[in-house]
Each structure stands twice: as structure tokens, then as C-alpha cells.
Amino acid sequence: LKKPPRAQRRLDERAARKLVRDRQKLALAEPGGAPERPIEVISSSVIPVRARATPCPLCAGSLNLDEEIALDARLRAAVMTCRRCGVSRRLYFTLPTTN
Ligand SMILES: [Zn+2]
């Protein structure tokens, strides 16, 4: 028995939303996806390069680096927006300790 189109559409939308949630969860678990899992870089000049080299976790489009935030002496957050789907993403980096 085939489902009526409207119900089917609702199911598709639900599946699409779940996929987005799953991908976002996955992106958070990746290195740099959370402040507890920052990407180690040798200098802050590497951050924009690494940030731009990271594709959007949802559509694999390229991300725009909006700003860099210093969270503490070593921790940096790169605030990015996807040029294709518009999702915002943060990547976390840690700098070497300065002596
Ligand atoms: Zn995207």
C-alpha cells in the first residue's frame, strides 16, 4: 500500500532534518568541533588557512571566515558561515604555550 503523498512528504522532511542533526553532531565530534577538542596549530596565522580548508559539515560547501575570537591565552574560535547553505560553524584552535 502506497502512502498518500502528503504523509510521505512529511516523512521525507523529518528524515532530512534528522540527517542535518546527525551531521551537526558528527561535526561537533570532529577535531576542532568543540572547545574541548581544539586543533593544535603552530601559530595563529595558520588558523584562517585551516578554517577555510574545512568544508561545511552539512553540504560540503566552502565556509566563510567571519571572525576569530580569543577565548583565552591559547584557545581561539573561528566563526564561520557556509556560503552555500548558510549554516554557521565554529572551529576551535589551540596555540602553543608562549615562553
Ligand atoms: Zn553548507
Side-chain angles (χ1 to χ4, degrees):
L1 192 76
K2 259 185 116 183
K3 286 191 177 76
R6 196 186 289 170
Q8 185 57 53
R9 205 157 47 228
R10 210 154 42 218
L11 281 179
D12 290 347
E13 281 167 16
R14 202 177 299 161
R17 275 200 301 272
K18 188 187 182 301
L19 191 66
V20 164
R21 271 203 309 274
D22 287 351
R23 286 192 185 159
Q24 272 169 335
K25 223 181 289 171
L26 226 92
L28 286 178
E30 276 172 20
E36 303 81 52
R37 280 182 296 281
I39 297 169
E40 283 183 43
V41 289
I42 47 161
S43 108
S44 61
S45 64
V46 182
I47 294 176
V49 182
R50 291 291 299 268
R52 290 195 188 98
T54 306
C56 171
L58 302 187
C59 74
S62 58
L63 298 166
N64 221 14
L65 180 59
D66 300 328
E67 61 174 325
E68 250 182 78
I69 305 168
L71 298 170
D72 64 32
R74 294 179 62 205
L75 195 64
R76 300 286 182 275
V79 182
M80 299 182 293
T81 313
C82 178
R83 288 178 197 166
R84 200 191 288 173
C85 74
V87 78
S88 65
R89 170 151 203 225
R90 280 185 177 211
L91 262 187
Y92 296 90
F93 296 91
T94 186
L95 300 169
T97 39
T98 44
N99 296 308

